[in-house]
Amino acid sequence: MNPRTVTAIGAVVLALVAGSTSFDRLPGQDADRAAAAEARATSTRTATPSPAPTWRPVSAAALRTVDAVELGAETLTLRAEDRTVSVVSMRDGKHTVGLLNRLLGTPARTRTAAGDAGRCVPASTTSTWGGALRVAALAEPAAAGNRVEVRVLRDHVRSRLGEVIDLTGPDGVQVGDDVRPQLRDSRRSERESLGSDDAEAWQLLLEPGWRSDRKGAGRNGVSVLTDDTTVTVIGSPMPVRATSRRC
């Protein structure tokens, strides 16, 4: 991969906050449920839309059964085989990070002041578990209402008890998967080339979310970055084809 391709992909990975996109929703549980219903009604993707968040406490016994964490467009879903243990809203940073701490143990943490991580990036505290799952908890909610930004960097992570937890995106897509079929079947508005003539690389939208009608906002939701057609990062919110430079 040549330097231009590496730079393009690195810029997307390091931009934990989708600062180039403007949104209309406000935070809150009612908005979460409305967003989930809207996604079910309007999504044209084949991926199953993110489920609505659950607000009940999760017991330690239930957490011990978790074997997979799925990143959706606006949620993180904890699963035990085919059973859903909990659905965590990305509009609730404290709950998201707290639950992951209980599941995965103490993360590596870094603090970033507003603007230090790049243009339009607010202050945040970033937690990283095993170099595999990275969650930036924002000091203030983004315009969309999300309080966290999530990036999946590997296909699994270890629980605090040492068990393997699979990390996936919609439809079970994982880091290391080949998404050539999804690229082939996607609309032009759902993919963006980050490569060059001699090194192919893509950003591909897997599931839409965080809607905005503003011109230049692009299509947001959970996306993957690829090296050739192999997934290297799964992230949300992460807009495709955003052209506006407004925060």
Side-chain angles (χ1 to χ4, degrees), residues 56-194:
R56 63 181 182 276
V58 182
S59 69
L63 278 181
R64 284 196 293 270
T65 68
V66 171
D67 58 15
V69 176
E70 177 183 322
L71 175 61
E74 302 182 14
T75 59
L76 278 172
T77 301
L78 278 57
R79 302 192 188 280
E81 296 184 347
D82 294 331
R83 180 172 58 87
T84 297
V85 175
S86 184
V87 181
V88 186
S89 171
M90 290 172 62
R91 300 172 191 269
D92 187 343
K94 183 177 181 180
H95 186 201
T96 299
V97 174
L99 195 58
L100 290 174
N101 284 342
R102 292 176 59 204
L103 176 66
L104 304 177
T106 303
R109 289 193 179 94
T110 58
R111 297 181 186 275
T112 304
D116 283 358
R119 180 180 175 273
C120 300
V121 179
S124 64
T125 299
T126 300
S127 301
T128 305
W129 290 270
L133 181 63
R134 189 172 68 197
V135 177
L138 310 182
E140 299 291 339
N146 58 302
R147 295 298 300 253
V148 298
E149 297 277 341
V150 181
R151 298 295 182 263
V152 177
L153 308 175
R154 296 181 182 173
D155 64 353
H156 72 276
V157 67
R158 293 281 180 177
S159 74
R160 65 186 307 158
L161 300 177
E163 301 295 328
V164 173
I165 308 291
D166 287 333
L167 300 174
T168 78
D171 287 341
V173 171
Q174 292 185 282
V175 171
D177 285 355
D178 191 306
V179 289
R180 191 182 307 270
Q182 292 92 324
L183 283 165
R184 181 190 61 227
D185 297 338
S186 64
R187 296 177 175 85
R188 187 172 181 273
S189 62
E190 297 168 341
R191 66 181 185 271
E192 181 176 358
S193 175
L194 303 176

Side-chain angles (χ1 to χ4, degrees), residues 18 21 23 73 144 203 205 207-212 217-223 235-240:
T21 308
F23 304 91
Q203 182 179 346
L205 182 73
E207 182 183 301
W210 313 106
R211 293 177 62 86
S212 175
R219 298 202 64 187
N220 215 335
V222 55
S223 299
S236 183
M238 196 157 69
V240 176

